[in-house]
Amino acid sequence: MHKPFSWRTLSTARTLFIMIFMAGIGLTVSVVALLYLSLHLISAKTNEIDEQRSALSVQGAVQTSINRMWGLVTDNAVWDDAVAQVYRPTLDTGWLFSAWGAGYKINNLYDGTFVLDENFHPLWGAFRSQPVAQPDVRFLGAGFQALLTQHRNALRDDKQIFAGITRTEAGIAIVGIGLIRPMSGRLQVNDATRRYLVITRHLNSEILRDLGNTFQINNLSWRNQRPDASSIALTSAAGETLGWLDWTPRQPGMQAAEAASDDITRIVALAAALIVLFITLSSVGLYKLARGEKLARELAMTDWLSHLPNRRALLERLEAVSESGSPEITCVVFIDLDGFKDVNDIYGHNVGDKLIVSIGSALRNLVPEGGMLARLGGDEFALTLGGEHAGEQAASFASAVLEYLNQPLRVGERTIHISASIGIAACSLVECNSSELFRRADIAMYHSKVTGKGRITHYDAELNNAREHQLNIENDIRDGLLRNEFDVWYQPIVDARTLATVGVEALVRWPRRPAGALPPDQFIGIAETSGLIYALGQFVLRRACQDLLSLSDLKLSVNISPAQFRDPEFENKVAGVITGSGFPAHRLQLEVTETYVLENPERARTAIVNLKGLGTAVALDDFGTGYSSIGYLRRFNFDTIKIDKSLAGLIDTDEQAAALVGGTIRIASALGMAVTAEGIENEKQMKLLRLAGCDQLQGYWFSEPMPIEDLRSLRQQHG
């Protein structure tokens, strides 16, 4: 009997079978070797990691002891009764011993206490509950002397406590020193008299045992000589090595390897069995390969997530219509979801995927008869349909999509608000090909997005011209950056009290554009939507830091676009500019808009914290134009609030605006933030904003933006 699907009838089947069999044997050997090698490597690495963790734990234990001493000195030195006693002309040694000297026997928190005068000479001391007849600061060792040398001025003039490690005449000790002062208010001493409290706690086996138990370190002990490479050196405040802390490693990797050896053997056996099964199934599967072609093609034409047709399927349908030579009108509706990236960023891609599935299912139910809906990828969908009423049906479908998306969408337990920018293009595929039809729909969709989102735009020639104009500007920006056509101008910022210039704001200009200079409001938006704002923003920041480096008395403010702020590498790029230019970070202030902070709170908070970590200041720009809130001002902890000119510029004509400005200044002052008012254009506005309490002022009343050469000349004239 003839068996058309028998592998023996295929000339290559036997060869494929042998190859798979040999590969299976090799794979089995490789898996066995890999499993045992992995077990050994994991064991060794686990031991290494545990040793590192133990070392960190030991260091943490030492630091914890120092921190405890810091707290102990704070508790005893910051004490009103102590101030009353030790600043008397004659010390009451009985009180001192009762308060501090007897503590060793009571709670064993410390073993030595000393009171020093303003010259750090001992006035009184007790050690291990015994008074010290003639206390000598040399008893406390070189480590304590180093603390005094390093922090002498801070101890006299500040409220800080200092603690460290030293070798005293009695052994290794944690020592702390602090000024004896009242719990609140200032120290009421009119001359240079000062009294300092010194507390010591010497290390012993009991203390080390308690630390080991607390930090899960086995047999923590003290050695005068280094026993092995993993031990930790104990260094005094003077930098001298006092000895070594040693402990017994736990070797968890070896224990885990021994415990897992039986399981590994079973895994090896299971892996070998699975490989044999794989060989068998693969042999059978060779003969079913051809029958899967149709299924593979269907899968290739289907979006895996939404199960809608994909871009390839849609284009093939349009190509089929085009090849048929049909003169009927074909419409394409291009849908781009607004805010979908934020859904992924805020809730995660799992929620974003569920949202795509939900929207795809809903849109499928809205498709007119004869239409084909496809997911093009990401957050983009497209509908194509043809016929006499294609235009009306496309418009009706687009309106239904917007109406559906205007309602809150439920994804699990979350309620999500999202909209769409929609573009519609129509033509006969005899007149234009499918790629051109898609391009037109894309242009119309883009126009919907840049003009407010959540709307429908029908393609026409004017949109094409606008898009071409934008593309020309994009290319001009790209070329302009290469040909050094851009400049940075600077508008002075003055101190509201003295009216002296204390800083400048950097503003980009495009004076050397071959087709003529272009105002910033005509190219900044295009730079943002095209992604060129990253390079343009870096240029402005780098040039401004270079220009202002020599004007050391001026601070520099630079605007940061939302697109730059979204860049996860933005903080690193700022750090690179600061390092490369040598510009002091404390002179740099970066301004971010209120709208972006509210739309992306988590990213904004992370970026602000990172930027402040570099030493730069962060200002909230355009305050008063959005959803101004005390809550987010407190949350993001800006250094400066810049009141927008649309609010500050009305202070001389609008009582409500004046009240809002005054309230903003009071709120900012309460939160410890400086206030800069922008857009000042006359003397009355300037005086009212000064009276209102603004810290800094900016506007054409003081100066228009100017090139760096003019700024330097102006500084020389006033210098």
Side-chain angles (χ1 to χ4, degrees), residues 487-493 503-510 520 557 559 642 645 678-681 698-712 714:
D487 276 343
V488 179
W489 286 22
Y490 303 91
Q491 185 174 34
I493 301 173
V504 293
E505 180 177 356
L507 303 168
V508 66
R509 294 293 185 266
W510 197 357
S557 291
N559 289 291
K642 299 195 75 173
K645 61 183 178 182
E678 298 180 297
I680 300 171
E681 297 183 353
Q698 180 181 356
Y700 278 25
W701 172 253
F702 302 103
S703 175
E704 296 183 4
M706 64 185 74
I708 185 62
E709 295 79 8
D710 294 351
L711 179 64
R712 290 192 179 114
L714 183 64

Side-chain angles (χ1 to χ4, degrees), residues 490-504 648 676-690 694-706 711 714 718:
Y490 303 91
Q491 185 174 34
I493 301 173
V494 304
D495 184 274
R497 290 174 293 277
T498 64
L499 298 185
T501 300
V502 293
V504 293
T676 299
E678 298 180 297
I680 300 171
E681 297 183 353
N682 58 57
E683 184 177 8
K684 186 176 181 181
Q685 292 174 357
M686 180 268 292
K687 290 182 177 179
L688 289 174
L689 288 167
R690 291 179 72 186
C694 280
D695 299 287
Q696 295 178 344
L697 306 172
Q698 180 181 356
Y700 278 25
W701 172 253
F702 302 103
S703 175
E704 296 183 4
M706 64 185 74
L711 179 64
L714 183 64
H718 289 281

Side-chain angles (χ1 to χ4, degrees), residues 58-214:
V58 172
Q59 294 172 348
V62 173
Q63 188 59 48
T64 297
S65 299
I66 295 174
N67 293 342
R68 287 176 180 173
M69 177 57 70
W70 184 93
L72 190 61
V73 174
T74 301
D75 292 342
N76 285 270
V78 184
W79 185 15
D80 294 340
D81 290 350
V83 172
Q85 292 293 332
V86 302
Y87 285 94
R88 296 170 57 183
T90 303
L91 293 178
D92 185 347
T93 58
W95 184 92
L96 293 175
F97 185 80
S98 175
W100 289 325
Y104 174 66
K105 290 184 177 181
I106 296 174
N107 49 30
N108 197 26
L109 292 177
Y110 55 85
D111 51 20
T113 51
F114 303 87
V115 176
L116 310 185
D117 63 12
E118 58 273 10
N119 296 316
F120 302 102
H121 295 151
L123 297 175
W124 172 87
F127 186 67
R128 295 178 179 169
S129 298
Q130 298 297 322
V132 179
Q134 292 182 342
D136 190 338
V137 74
R138 288 178 298 179
F139 168 80
L140 299 173
F144 179 74
Q145 294 290 345
L147 282 177
L148 291 183
T149 302
Q150 296 168 11
H151 307 294
R152 184 178 299 269
N153 293 332
L155 284 167
R156 289 195 180 101
D157 304 327
D158 209 339
K159 296 182 179 181
Q160 296 188 49
I161 305 298
F162 297 96
I165 302 175
T166 187
R167 185 194 296 275
T168 72
E169 294 180 2
I172 308 303
I174 310 296
V175 62
I177 181 171
L179 178 67
I180 300 176
R181 61 182 187 276
M183 298 180 67
S184 61
R186 300 182 60 184
L187 180 63
Q188 302 299 319
V189 176
N190 297 324
D191 54 17
T193 300
R194 295 289 185 274
R195 296 292 182 264
Y196 303 96
L197 177 64
V198 178
I199 299 179
T200 64
R201 188 186 190 193
H202 287 73
L203 296 181
N204 54 42
S205 58
E206 180 181 355
I207 292 174
L208 292 176
R209 183 174 61 253
D210 291 342
L211 285 176
N213 293 337
T214 301

Side-chain angles (χ1 to χ4, degrees), residues 643-666 684-685 688-689 691-694:
I643 301 177
D644 189 71
K645 61 183 178 182
S646 63
L647 185 60
L650 298 177
I651 193 171
D652 57 337
T653 59
D654 188 327
E655 292 184 1
Q656 188 179 33
L660 289 173
V661 169
T664 297
I665 294 172
R666 287 191 293 274
K684 186 176 181 181
Q685 292 174 357
L688 289 174
L689 288 167
L691 290 174
C694 280

